[in-house]
Amino acid sequence: MTRVAAIDCGTNSLRLLIADIDRSNGTAKLTDVVREMRVVRLGQGVDATGELAPEALERTFAATADYAAMIREHGAESVRFVATSASRDARNRQVFVDGIRDLLGVEPEVISGDEEAALSFAGASSVLPILDGEQVLVVDLGGGSTEFVLGTSDGVTAAKSVDVGCVRLTERHLQDDPPTAEQIAAAEADIDAAIARAGLDVPLERATAVVGVAGSITTITAHALRLPEYSPAAIHGTELSIGTITEAAADLLHMTRRERAELAYMHPGRVDVMGAGGLVWRRILERLNQLTAGRIVTATASEHDILDGIALSIH
């Protein structure tokens, strides 16, 4: 049994998993010790400025300092810090890298979109086993990017990361509250173009099942289920029809931010970007349904994602 600490630094959230890994049976199994999430919005303004904002770095460093204390308290033997879309895109990412290294004592890894996709697939498939003959598409909908990963029980077949995410599209298009029809149409055009780009590398039409991961998708699931509070246990593994999901996503898109803030399962850090998250997930599922000639009629939500993949990758 090895105790490890994994940190996933995305465009919107900074998440920590301290877990024990058991590799005794030839497979790796994670047992959670601590699972923590802070919305730090590291990607604030990056799409427009190309740089990480000083206040976003300050929020991220403060949360990382807290995580470093938790890691010491729980005695993790190895730590891996992975950063994704926002830090990939930023000209001043060295300031970020140096700050994290000083706080944690490990080098933060700014990984490629392809590696991000593979880690997401590993995390999701570790708890939602893939049947022989299945071709599962894992969609990781983040703040700055979305990963499309097609795989089988043997691992990843094809992957592509595209620059559409809930923070990026909100900042770029959905400024009004609620957004106007013209703003929604402009965001949809970006999403549709990104799905087409993903389809050049990932044969989406071959998918026999789809699994969605990350906070936007799990929150849409919570909304579809009308949960009394956010409950990972109630959300994880839930399979819903595309119609049910797209209805819930559209509902969130057309709400005001104040209305979304009143939902018991809505994290405060997602209130302003959930409309865009719903729009991305809706367009992806509608396009998948078309590409597979109606074979994809449901989607499954997973609470286990890139964070679990990072932890499993630590040796």
Side-chain angles (χ1 to χ4, degrees):
M1 195 82 77
T2 307
R3 180 159 293 183
V4 301
I7 299 176
D8 166 39
C9 183
T11 299
N12 198 42
S13 63
L14 184 74
R15 299 183 300 151
L16 167 70
L17 173 60
I18 301 173
D20 292 326
I21 303 183
D22 183 355
R23 302 185 190 274
S24 59
N25 293 322
T27 58
K29 183 184 178 187
L30 292 176
T31 301
D32 289 11
V33 177
V34 172
R35 197 178 278 263
E36 184 89 9
M37 190 268 281
R38 310 272 176 90
V39 172
V40 297
R41 194 63 60 85
L42 178 63
Q44 172 194 330
V46 168
D47 188 61
T49 67
E51 293 197 344
L52 299 167
E55 60 270 31
L57 285 165
E58 189 176 320
R59 291 191 297 267
T60 304
F61 292 156
T64 301
D66 289 347
Y67 286 178
M70 291 182 202
I71 290 166
R72 288 192 298 271
E73 177 190 345
H74 291 282
E77 300 167 42
S78 300
V79 180
R80 188 179 184 194
F81 184 111
V82 164
T84 54
S85 178
S87 39
R88 274 200 299 268
D89 297 344
R91 284 189 297 269
N92 62 338
R93 72 180 185 181
Q94 197 58 46
V95 177
F96 164 77
V97 169
D98 292 344
I100 297 298
R101 188 196 308 113
D102 290 346
L103 288 164
L104 270 183
V106 299
E107 189 77 10
E109 302 170 52
V110 182
I111 62 171
S112 69
D114 285 349
E115 185 172 359
E116 182 178 359
L119 288 169
S120 295
F121 187 86
S125 61
S126 70
V127 290
L128 292 173
I130 298 171
L131 303 175
D132 287 344
E134 269 194 316
Q135 297 219 45
V136 175
L137 181 71
V138 172
V139 178
D140 184 346
L141 199 175
S145 66
T146 295
E147 283 66 51
F148 294 78
V149 201
L150 189 68
T152 66
S153 54
D154 294 326
V156 174
T157 304
K160 181 68 173 177
S161 178
V162 293
D163 283 342
V164 291
C166 59
V167 174
R168 193 184 296 271
L169 289 180
T170 300
E171 291 184 350
R172 189 182 291 178
H173 297 299
L174 307 184
Q175 290 95 0
D176 284 1
D177 181 29
T180 65
E182 292 77 15
Q183 290 170 354
I184 292 170
E188 286 177 336
D190 278 5
I191 297 164
D192 292 348
I195 296 169
R197 282 197 302 278
L200 296 175
D201 293 295
V202 181
L204 302 173
E205 69 281 356
R206 294 185 193 169
T208 58
V210 60
V211 174
V213 303
S216 286
I217 289 172
T218 57
T219 302
I220 293 163
T221 303
H223 186 59
L225 295 172
R226 297 296 193 269
L227 295 180
E229 61 183 3
Y230 190 91
S231 168
I235 293 164
H236 180 67
T238 294
E239 185 177 356
L240 297 172
S241 71
I242 288 178
T244 299
I245 295 167
T246 57
E247 184 179 324
D251 194 31
L252 289 167
L253 172 63
H254 294 292
M255 282 182 176
T256 64
R257 291 173 184 175
R258 185 171 183 174
E259 288 169 338
R260 289 199 291 265
E262 292 172 354
L263 299 172
Y265 38 80
M266 181 68 62
H267 190 285
R270 299 198 191 284
V271 168
D272 60 330
V273 296
M274 264 313 304
L279 190 56
V280 175
W281 191 217
R282 186 182 87 189
R283 297 298 284 185
I284 289 171
L285 291 177
E286 288 171 346
R287 185 68 182 127
L288 272 177
N289 182 257
Q290 293 168 354
L291 288 169
T292 61
R295 185 172 62 246
I296 298 290
V297 295
T298 63
T300 301
S302 174
E303 283 281 345
H304 298 268
D305 51 28
I306 186 173
L307 187 60
D308 302 71
I310 296 165
L312 289 166
S313 74
I314 301 172
H315 292 282

